[in-house]
Structures are given as structure tokens and as C-alpha cells.
Amino acid sequence: MSNRSIRATPTAWFIWAAVVFFFVNLAGVVGSVLVSSFGQKWFDTWVPSGFTTQWYGDAWREFGLLQVISVTLLASGLVVALSVLVGAPAAYVLARQNFPGKRLVYLTFLLPILMPPITYGIPLATVLYKFGFAGHLSGVVLANLVPSVPFVILTMTPFIEQVDPRIESAARMLGANTRAVFLKILAPLLVPGLLASAILVLVRTVGMFELTFLTAGPDSQTLVVALYYSMSAAGIRAQQSVDAMAVMYTAMMLVLLVVALRFVNPTQLVARVKEEPPE
Amino acid sequence: MTATASWHHRLAERGVDRRLWLLLPATIFVLLLFVYPFLYGLSLSFQPLNGGGLLANYEKFFGDAYQRDTIVTTLKIALPAALLNVLAAVPIAFRMRGRFRGKRLLTTLLVVPITLGTVLTAQGLLNYLGPTGWFNRVLLSLHLIEDPVRLTNNYWGVFFSLVITGFPFAFLLVLSYLSGIDPTLERAAATLGASRAQRFRRITLPLLAPGLATTFLLTFVLAFSVFPSAVLVGNPAGSTRVISLAAYQAAYEQYDYAYASAIAMIMGAVELVVVVIVLLWRSRLYTGSTGGKG
Amino acid sequence: MRQFDRLRLEGVGRRFGAADALIGLDLSIERGEFIALLGPSGCGKSTALNCLAGLLPLTAGAIWQDDRRIDTLPPERRGFGMVFQNYALFPHLTVRDNIAFGLRMRRLPKDEVRRRTAAAIEMVRLDEHASKLPGQLSGGQQQRVAIARATVLEPSLVLMDEPLSNLDAKLRLEMRTEIRRLHQSLGLTTVYVTHDQEEALSMADRLVVMRAGRVQQIGTPEEVHTKPSTWHVADFMGYRNLLTLKADSVTGSQVTVPLAGTTLTGTAQGVVAAGDEVVAAVRPEDLKLGGEGLKGLVEVVEYQGREHAVEVVLDDGTRVHVRTEQRVDPGAQVALGVSPGRLLVYPS
Ligand SMILES: Nc1ncnc2c1ncn2[C@@H]1O[C@H](COP(=O)(O)OP(=O)(O)OP(=O)(O)O)[C@@H](O)[C@H]1O
Ligand SMILES: [Mg+2]
């Protein structure tokens, strides 16, 4: 097994070269932002002419990042809490029970993840404006719940399926009612699943551009949306302070990522692939 | 008593019991925040702002070449990008399945661009691929090119941004599908005299194909909704004027929500067509157990 | 816990979609009884038990506890105890907390919980393991935790679903005695599911033999063992030789059937007329080597401790199974006889 990857067939070389090429460019993409954010001036040279940290202070003040970051954290925190509260019980029923119309319910719950956010984001934003939610934090939270709840359902289901239903039956036979089964038995056993789905939703919400962009007002921008605005207004602000902001965003995402990877494996961050068994 | 009991019996037979109440919050949520807005958008799209028939918004879209072409533009970006991502992911994932040192590090590195998202990638690409960026500098100093190649603010900028975020996504999915295929199947084929290429062609590929279809779909959905990079590293007035941008402009620049909804619906329909075609093809494949631990 | 004198199941049925897993189960359980539900895999034993427990809603029939109807009560309000096949111990709670769980659910005072838990732990001899998690116990120990957890509440009825099937043969025998001992000393009423006929025979006061969702026979171990009501029950109770034959003549309950050039006489179980197709059932140990009548060739001999299981091919090609203490060799020509009264003849 192991010597297969070491043995240097031409294809192997080619594949490894492609991987290296990908990573070199990726490093270039991220690195150029990083270097630029510390550069004094950078025109037509390999590296900037001098280094400074002034752009970070500038960006912090100019873009009001304190406010932006607190909005980001608050909105994401609310989305995480609400989506777990709404999604986990639904995941439980879908994992445990067969009932008429289950496939339809399942499909409806999963549709928001299968659709590009802009497609449903625009009608959703329209409705949120109509009812006066959009432009505020509440609108941002509501919009971000749309893909988050299904995502919680999707991540939690396999965790719930792992818990033997007979353990719940045993608790009921010992006199536990539904509440007690949830609090005393399921909650402790599902801590890994709850953590995984919470952290995944957090990462996705902090990084979610489209829905937040469509529903945020001036006071309810998250970091990624603020970054987009400052980029599309390029030329007004110094390029480097935009880069500084981008680096702060990157740092925040990387911290979240490091935390996330303590609880989940990389593939789960992407999607939970579970084929439904053919009936 | 008997009436209530037989009612109980009938519900029990269909699996309906009190636990179903737990679905209620999520159901209300999905109805209010997804189904209702969607239907609202649909009905709004039939109520043109400036009067006209039911289909006026749709006629307007398809009658205007500038708008109509956004469909082709989007597909021209999304389909090749999704295809490249999946096709490149297969051989690489194939080589990297199984255990080896540094696998976790590799997959972790690959998640980075996905989590960073398109906005940051766009900013990086502008710096890196720009006329004075490192990429052009390297090519110039190696004398591979005479003048800087133009890779941003056009089709290629958007394409690269989709590859940078889409390829790791496709790779991780393909890798997880591949590790769900029992390796002993291939060994069994080997003992039956199948060469390496035959094993891949006859055993692994057929088992992997449904997963590839799913991967393609998810990657395509990501690419299809490309928005920030189309604006930031593309040429949003020309070669990368994608359909989501058209919808956005209708809503937030012209404040014509009815028209914007119509475009969003068209966008959904076009995407659905691709999804259905892929799903139809996928349904003809074997989709049962792949013998692995999934 | 509220005790009852009699528990009655009336036409209890459970259907999954189009498939009936349990049909028209009528059974009455007296206080203090040990009842075994017995039958082949998939016959609906667990379904019956879960219906009784309240874990599966009924799709037909009713359950009465004395004159209170209980089949619409949720499981936690029936006050029954249950031991599961894989024990279903709470993996995140220690042995002590597992056993105390039910007492806590009943909101009993702290010192009573402590006292009764300690007594239960002692009863199943797990004192040294009280602070361990279930994952750190052996199968037999887990089994005892499960039993203690179910019985510490002194439930009016204890349900056990194949509680011994995950244990090795020796431990299984020990635990059988242990369960029976607990049943007696605690004065429990027990319904015990098993597919092992020997286990059922040795433990239960009454057996309920099931097949394909229906009850085939209810009776004491002796009745079921010596007079199975149908050939399916006979098959399940160890009548390994089931021969499809044609009845020659019938006088009273005596039926003669032709076999391999001679005729045998058996006892009719059910209505049999001359010329009918019948199933003749006889246990391997009721076929004697060296008797009169049947002749055949020894084909396979399995050594089984004190006895040999011998497969004999009769002159007409019929294969029969014989148990004997005698030594025989493959290829030997033997004669066989049936112990008097031990050939049962069923309508097929
Ligand atoms: N949840 C369910 N959905 C559909 N069918 C079921 C379900 N549970 C049981 N069945 C079916 O009901 C029948 C009886 O099952 P049950 O579990 O009661 O059998 P059993 O006698 O306990 O068998 P075993 O000895 O193998 O445990 C089986 O045919 C089974 O397939
Ligand atoms: Mg069973």
C-alpha cells in the first residue's frame, strides 16, 4: 500500500506536481494579501519597499471593524443557537421515525442547501424587507438560518443514528418521560454531534457572503460583507488597508477552522455525504 | 373507547405518534423562511412593476440580449469549472486514498480556501495574478512570456477563483466516496487477472460514478451562484456578467423586486435543468452499497 | 410499584406497513408467573414484547391490567421493567448511576435511592465494579447490570428480550439459574423471549410458541415438549425427523404409516384420515439402533460427547437422524426401531 505512493511512476509525478502547483498558487493568493497588508508601498517589485503595521490601525478605524466584528460574532452566535435548537429535534425525528410524507419533508428541509443562495436569497430578502426585518441584525440572522437549519439536520442525523434506540427505550422503561430522555440520555450522548454541527454552522455563517449581503443594513454588516464593500469601492481607500482587513478576516476564519477541526474532520466541513438507502 | 382506540391503532400503523411534534419548529421555519418567500417571489415575478401581462418580466428578460446572455455566460463559467474540479479530483484522490503521513495536514490545508470563501480569494487573486503580481513576475523572469498575461478582471479571474474554492471541495468529496469503496473488491479483481487500468475501469469507476455525479452537482451549484468573484475579479459589465449579478442589479440598483424575483426564478430553473439531467444520468448507475465503511 | 393479579392481552396485533408482525395474540399472565415466548427468528417475539412494554403502539387489540386498559399508556407510565438483548446500558453513566436511573426518575429521596441501589448492586455481585462505565465491563457483568437496573424498581412485570444470547455457553447456563433465582426470590412476574427451546423449557412455567406472528401453542414445558400442537412446533422443539408420508389406516388415535418397506404406528395429533398426506415426527433420541423394522446404511457419524449423532439412509433413500450412545461406523448396516408412542402424526 505505502510503496504505491512512493514509487515514482510518471503519473505519480504528474499528480504530485499538480498538487504542489495548486498549493504554491494558493500560498501566493493568501500570501500576497498578507505581505501587502504589511507593506508601505508596493508597486512593480517582488516585495514592498518597507514594512509597517499602520494599515491595521487604519482599517480598524476607517471600516469601524470593532462594530463589524461584534456584529459578526453576535449574528453567528444567534444563528448557531437557533439553528441547533430548531434543527436538532427535527434531525431526531428524521433519524428515528418513518411516517407518511417523510421523503417530502426531508426534501423540503434539504432543498435550501441544494440551491444557490442567491436564488432564494432575493425572494427571501424581499419578504424580509416587506416585514421590516431586513437591514437589521434580525434579518441577517433569519436569512442565515435558512441554510443553517438544514445543515444542522444533515450533520446531526448520523450522530443520532449512532445512538442505539434501545438505550432510549431502556430509559423510558425506567420511567423517563420524553423530556428526561432528551436531557439525561440523548443530550450527553450527542455532545460530539452538537458540537460538530454548531461549529460547522459557525464557520459557514461567518463565511456566508450572499445571504448576509442581501439582507444586511449599514449597521448589520458582517466582516465578509464589509470586506466586499471595501473591495468594490477600491481606489477610495488605500489598497493595503483593504488587505489588512482581509488578513483580519482570514485570521478569524483560521482560528475558527482550527477550533472546528478539533471536533470534526475536514470532509465534514464541506458536506455530509450520506446516500439514502434505496427503498 | 373503541373509537379512540381504533384511531390510535390506525395512527400507530402509519408511524404517527407524539414524537412528530418535534418536527414542528423546523417545519414552521422552513415554511416561513423558505417555502413562503419562494412562493412569494414566484407570484411577485408575475406582477410586473410597470404593468404588462403576467409574463412581462420573463418576456423582458428573454427579449433583452444583454440579460438573456447572462444564462450562457454563467453556464460557460460554471460547467467547465465544475467539470475541471471533479475530473482533476479523481486521479488525485485515487492516489491519496488509504493512509499516509501528512494526509490530515493535506486535507486541512485544502479546507482553508473553502472556509475563506470567494471574497477573500478574489482579493488574493487581484494581488497575485495582477499584472505586477507574483505570478506574472515569475513567468516574466523565467522568460516564458514577454508581457504580463492578463488574468484578472476577465473570464479567467473568475474561473481561477472557482477552481481555488471548488477543487478542494470536489477533492474532499471524491476522497470520502473513494474511501467508502471496499479495497478488497479491487484486490479480488486483481486475483481474477484484471490489470490496474481494468480494475479502475471495471470496478472502482462504476462504484464511484454516482458519487462523482453528486460531487459534480454540488460543485456546479457552488459555481453557478458565483457572485462576489464575478464582480471583483471578473468583468462584471461584459464577459462575466453572470445571472446572479443581473438579479442583484434588478433588485438593488433598479429596485424592481418583481423583475429580480423573475430572474431568480429563471436562475433556479436553469440550475434545476442541469441538476435533473445529472440526476437522470445518475439514476441509471448502480447506487447500492459499495462494501466499505462509508 | 402497583402490582396486578392478572394481565390480559386481547387480540394484540402489530402491523408494519403491509406486513403483519404479530397477529391476534391472546394471552393471560398471572402474577408470579414465568412465561417464555419462544419461536424462530422473525416470528414476532420482540414485537410482542415491545407491544407489551409500550415501546411499540398496537395496531389491533387491547391490553388489560386487571380491569384497567393500559395499551394507550406510554411505556414510562406502565411501570414494567425490561432487559434488552444488547443490554442497552447508558454508556455515559457508571454502573451505579445506571442502576439508580429509574429510582431517580421516580424522584425518590436521596438516601432511599442510595440504599436500594447498593442493595441491587450487591444482589448481582457487582460491588467492585460499581464505579465503572459499562464499556469497561465484560458481557456477563453488563448483563447483570441490566438485570439489576430493571429489577431495582420492583416492577410489576419484567420483560426480557433474549437476555442471554450475547453470552458464551457456560455463562449462559449460570445466568439462567441466576435469573430464575431472582424471579423467585423477588417474587417477579416475568415474560422472557428466547429462540432457544432448551432455555425456555428449563426456565419457564408456561411457554408461548409462536410462528410467523401467530401463537401456535401455549402450555407447560412438558406439554409443549411431549405433545407439540403442530408439526411446526414439533420441528422447533427438536423433532428433527419430519417425514412426509401417506396415512395407511386410522383406528382411534392410532395411525399407521408406511416407511421404507415396513409400517410404523404413531399417535395422531389432530384430525387424520386414511389416505391423507401426513407429517410423521420423531426425535433422534426416540429412534433406537438395533430395533425392529427399519433398515438402513450409516452415512455420517458426529461425536457429541457422550452420544453420537448418526445420519442413516433408509432403504428407500429417506434420511433420518438418530442419537445413540452406541458406537457405529459409517458404512455399517443398521436396523432401527421407534420408541413406543413417540411417533407423532400431524395433518400436513
Ligand atoms: N420497525 C419495523 N419495521 C418493519 N418491520 C419490522 C419492524 N420490526 C420488526 N419488523 C418485522 O416484524 C417481524 C417480527 O420481528 P421481531 O423483531 O418481532 O422478530 P423476533 O421474533 O424478535 O426475531 P429475532 O429472534 O430475530 O429477534 C419480522 O419479520 C420483522 O422483519
Ligand atoms: Mg427479537
Side-chain angles (χ1 to χ4, degrees):
Chain A
M1 260 289 143
S2 60
N3 64 357
R4 189 188 60 187
S5 39
I6 294 169
R7 204 172 58 202
T9 62
T11 17
W13 277 112
F14 183 74
I15 283 168
W16 282 109
V19 171
V20 169
F21 182 73
F22 180 83
F23 277 117
V24 165
N25 285 297
L26 178 61
V29 167
V30 179
S32 60
V33 176
L34 187 67
V35 171
S36 167
S37 73
F38 286 106
Q40 269 170 352
K41 283 211 190 76
W42 192 7
F43 299 113
D44 218 3
T45 47
W46 282 96
V47 286
S49 53
F51 290 96
T52 169
T53 52
Q54 79 173 85
W55 303 115
Y56 285 83
D58 285 2
W60 189 265
R61 262 171 281 113
E62 280 178 57
F63 302 119
L65 286 188
L66 182 63
Q67 139 96 4
V68 172
I69 289 179
S70 33
V71 166
T72 308
L73 293 178
L74 182 62
S76 318
L78 283 171
V79 169
V80 168
L82 288 173
S83 55
V84 169
L85 278 180
V86 172
Y92 174 79
V93 179
L94 291 172
R96 279 282 193 263
Q97 208 155 344
N98 279 314
F99 53 89
K102 177 169 170 177
R103 285 185 149 247
L104 182 71
V105 171
Y106 203 70
L107 186 69
T108 325
F109 281 158
L110 294 194
L111 219 47
I113 323 191
L114 298 178
M115 225 176 232
I118 294 269
T119 315
Y120 63 87
I122 284 183
L124 174 65
T126 312
V127 167
L128 290 175
Y129 273 110
K130 187 171 109 170
F131 291 103
F133 288 113
H136 309 288
L137 189 67
S138 56
V140 173
V141 172
L142 287 176
N144 274 291
L145 280 177
V146 175
S148 302
V149 170
F151 200 73
V152 169
I153 294 179
L154 212 61
T155 350
M156 285 297 293
T157 314
F159 282 97
I160 294 169
E161 279 167 351
Q162 269 174 20
V163 177
D164 187 344
R166 275 175 291 197
I167 288 186
E168 284 168 54
S169 301
R172 304 200 124 232
M173 292 306 294
L174 293 168
N177 56 24
T178 309
R179 220 177 96 90
V181 171
F182 265 80
L183 293 181
K184 296 261 155 73
I185 304 297
L186 282 176
L189 290 178
L190 289 179
V191 166
L194 289 166
L195 274 178
S197 58
I199 193 86
L200 292 177
V201 168
L202 186 66
V203 172
R204 290 171 70 104
T205 310
V206 173
M208 167 55 77
F209 170 75
E210 283 90 347
L211 292 174
T212 315
F213 177 63
L214 293 176
T215 49
D219 303 332
S220 47
Q221 285 176 14
T222 62
L223 195 49
V224 66
V225 173
L227 181 62
Y228 174 86
Y229 278 120
S230 64
M231 280 177 73
S232 49
I236 303 171
R237 307 264 192 251
Q239 172 71 20
Q240 286 95 327
S241 63
V242 177
D243 283 324
M245 184 169 171
V247 170
M248 284 189 259
Y249 167 77
T250 310
M252 186 168 169
M253 286 308 272
L254 288 183
V255 169
L256 283 179
L257 193 61
V258 168
V259 176
L261 289 173
R262 296 192 70 88
F263 299 104
V264 296
N265 71 41
T267 321
Q268 278 175 300
L269 277 163
V270 172
R272 174 71 216 183
V273 204
K274 197 179 136 279
E275 298 295 308
E276 274 213 275
E279 281 182 62
Chain B
M1 192 78 202
T2 40
T4 54
S6 65
W7 178 238
H8 272 287
H9 290 164
R10 231 168 296 149
L11 287 182
E13 198 172 322
R14 323 190 112 222
V16 177
D17 68 27
R18 267 168 299 184
R19 283 202 294 193
L20 288 189
W21 286 115
L22 293 172
L23 274 182
L24 193 67
T27 310
I28 292 177
F29 149 83
V30 82
L31 288 180
L32 282 186
L33 286 177
F34 185 70
V35 177
Y36 170 70
F38 209 89
L39 295 179
Y40 178 83
L42 190 63
S43 81
L44 197 64
S45 72
F46 293 118
Q47 299 161 30
L49 193 63
N50 310 318
L54 269 186
L55 294 175
N57 277 327
Y58 293 91
E59 281 158 11
K60 182 167 152 194
F61 182 86
F62 286 107
D64 181 351
Y66 186 58
Q67 297 286 55
R68 190 177 56 217
D69 289 348
T70 58
I71 296 182
V72 178
T73 307
T74 315
L75 289 177
K76 256 206 254 172
I77 298 174
L79 285 175
L83 208 59
L84 174 75
N85 287 337
V86 177
L87 290 185
V90 176
I92 300 182
F94 194 70
R95 190 140 287 271
M96 292 190 187
R97 71 191 166 147
R99 294 163 177 280
F100 60 91
R101 259 183 2 160
K103 181 170 179 174
R104 172 105 187 174
L105 177 72
L106 186 89
T107 44
T108 306
L109 282 179
L110 281 172
V111 195
V112 171
I114 308 177
T115 29
L116 291 182
T118 41
V119 178
L120 187 107
T121 309
Q123 175 72 351
L125 284 173
L126 284 179
N127 290 352
Y128 175 70
L129 291 183
T132 63
W134 285 337
F135 189 76
N136 269 314
R137 280 186 168 279
V138 169
L139 293 188
L140 283 171
S141 54
L142 292 176
H143 299 291
L144 290 174
I145 49 173
E146 299 288 312
D147 295 304
V149 271
R150 203 175 139 74
L151 293 170
T152 54
N153 298 99
N154 59 13
Y155 177 86
W156 291 108
V158 182
F159 189 82
F160 289 133
S161 108
L162 290 179
V163 171
I164 284 193
T165 47
F167 166 73
F169 180 88
F171 172 79
L172 290 173
L173 280 181
V174 172
L175 190 63
S176 78
Y177 278 116
L178 257 182
S179 49
I181 298 177
D182 187 350
T184 48
L185 294 178
E186 243 187 282
R187 268 179 250 152
T191 63
L192 297 171
S195 72
R196 186 193 263 265
Q198 283 171 322
R199 295 198 299 264
F200 180 75
R201 167 83 192 70
R202 306 249 165 225
I203 309 292
T204 314
L205 198 57
L207 290 175
L208 187 63
L212 288 185
T214 311
T215 309
F216 175 79
L217 271 187
L218 293 175
T219 319
F220 171 74
V221 169
L222 274 190
F224 190 77
S225 63
V226 51
F227 177 80
S229 49
V231 177
L232 299 172
V233 269
N235 172 15
S239 62
T240 71
R241 199 180 120 81
V242 290
I243 188 163
S244 49
L245 188 59
Y248 172 76
Q249 284 171 343
Y252 293 86
E253 283 168 18
Q254 294 145 27
Y255 298 103
D256 186 347
Y257 292 113
Y259 188 39
S261 298
I263 301 179
M265 295 302 143
I266 293 168
M267 183 177 168
V270 172
E271 193 221 17
L272 207 64
V273 169
V274 176
V275 170
V276 167
I277 291 174
V278 177
L279 284 183
L280 279 181
W281 172 66
R282 185 182 178 280
S283 68
R284 296 179 36 208
L285 304 169
Y286 167 79
T287 54
S289 146
T290 50
K293 50 199 173 343
Chain C
M1 207 16 67
R2 177 193 174 121
Q3 292 293 334
F4 60 81
D5 291 322
R6 169 180 290 179
L7 199 73
R8 265 186 310 126
L9 285 74
E10 280 181 3
V12 168
R14 171 72 211 196
R15 169 189 274 271
F16 292 106
D20 276 306
L22 183 67
I23 309 154
L25 172 62
D26 292 307
L27 176 68
S28 140
I29 302 167
E30 305 292 329
R31 180 173 174 174
E33 257 191 317
F34 195 118
I35 292 199
L37 287 184
L38 182 64
S41 182
C43 70
K45 306 177 299 283
S46 298
T47 305
L49 205 70
N50 287 327
C51 285
L52 195 51
L55 295 169
L56 261 185
L58 307 188
T59 54
I63 303 174
W64 299 85
Q65 182 172 317
D66 296 328
D67 30 282
R68 195 162 71 109
R69 182 165 181 176
I70 60 161
D71 58 279
T72 47
L73 289 183
E76 66 268 22
R77 307 220 344 246
R78 297 193 189 185
F80 299 164
M82 184 150 173
V83 178
F84 294 82
Q85 179 172 3
N86 63 350
Y87 321 132
L89 299 179
F90 308 130
H92 60 303
L93 301 182
T94 60
V95 168
R96 186 179 294 114
D97 288 337
N98 259 284
I99 296 177
F101 187 87
L103 299 167
R104 296 212 172 104
M105 285 297 121
R106 283 174 176 61
R107 303 191 188 288
L108 297 179
K110 277 220 170 61
D111 46 325
E112 187 181 348
V113 172
R114 201 169 318 123
R115 189 173 46 73
R116 284 173 67 175
T117 308
I121 291 174
E122 203 187 306
M123 180 186 72
V124 293
R125 302 193 299 270
L126 284 171
D127 311 66
E128 302 139 64
H129 307 290
S131 306
K132 287 191 182 168
L133 291 174
Q136 302 164 311
L137 299 180
S138 72
Q141 290 162 343
Q142 293 187 24
Q143 176 61 29
R144 299 215 292 273
V145 179
I147 293 176
R149 185 177 69 175
T151 51
V152 70
L153 298 168
E154 295 167 16
S156 56
L157 179 68
V158 181
L159 307 168
M160 301 199 186
D161 192 353
E162 310 207 22
L164 305 184
S165 60
N166 286 354
L167 302 179
D168 66 54
K170 181 165 171 292
L171 205 52
R172 200 146 53 201
L173 285 179
E174 284 173 29
M175 289 304 296
R176 250 193 228 179
T177 330
E178 177 115 6
I179 290 176
R180 184 69 217 192
R181 183 174 64 78
L182 282 173
H183 170 81
Q184 269 154 8
S185 63
L186 298 176
L188 301 172
T189 311
T190 307
V191 177
Y192 186 102
V193 164
T194 177
H195 60 251
D196 180 342
Q197 39 121 351
E198 206 188 308
E199 198 170 290
L201 289 171
S202 67
M203 296 172 83
D205 300 323
R206 272 200 301 155
L207 304 186
V208 177
V209 186
M210 300 182 53
R211 182 180 161 263
R214 290 177 199 277
V215 170
Q216 298 279 303
Q217 185 171 12
I218 301 183
T220 63
E222 214 178 337
E223 282 165 5
V224 176
H225 187 256
T226 52
K227 292 176 84 66
S229 64
T230 68
W231 68 264
H232 293 292
V233 179
D235 183 19
F236 194 67
M237 296 308 297
Y239 288 72
R240 233 188 129 186
N241 299 306
L242 293 173
L243 310 169
T244 307
L245 304 168
K246 227 180 198 87
D248 249 359
S249 65
V250 181
T251 32
S253 66
Q254 297 299 303
V255 188
T256 53
V257 285
L259 179 61
T262 105
T263 55
L264 302 173
T265 308
T267 321
Q269 310 286 314
V271 188
V272 176
D276 280 1
E277 188 141 286
V278 294
V279 178
V282 63
R283 292 172 178 280
E285 52 268 39
D286 290 327
L287 281 178
K288 296 278 181 252
L289 278 188
E292 288 283 303
L294 296 171
K295 295 209 167 20
L297 197 69
V298 173
E299 197 163 83
V300 183
V301 180
E302 288 170 27
Y303 177 63
Q304 297 191 333
R306 298 179 45 172
E307 291 177 322
H308 299 272
V310 181
E311 191 175 305
V312 177
V313 185
L314 300 181
D315 290 348
D316 67 347
T318 315
R319 277 160 203 281
V320 293
H321 302 274
V322 182
R323 277 175 96 77
T324 172
E325 294 185 11
Q326 229 170 296
R327 244 198 94 94
V328 283
D329 292 314
Q333 197 72 40
V334 291
L336 295 173
V338 183
S339 310
R342 295 312 306 145
L343 182 74
L344 306 180
V345 180
Y346 295 92
S348 71

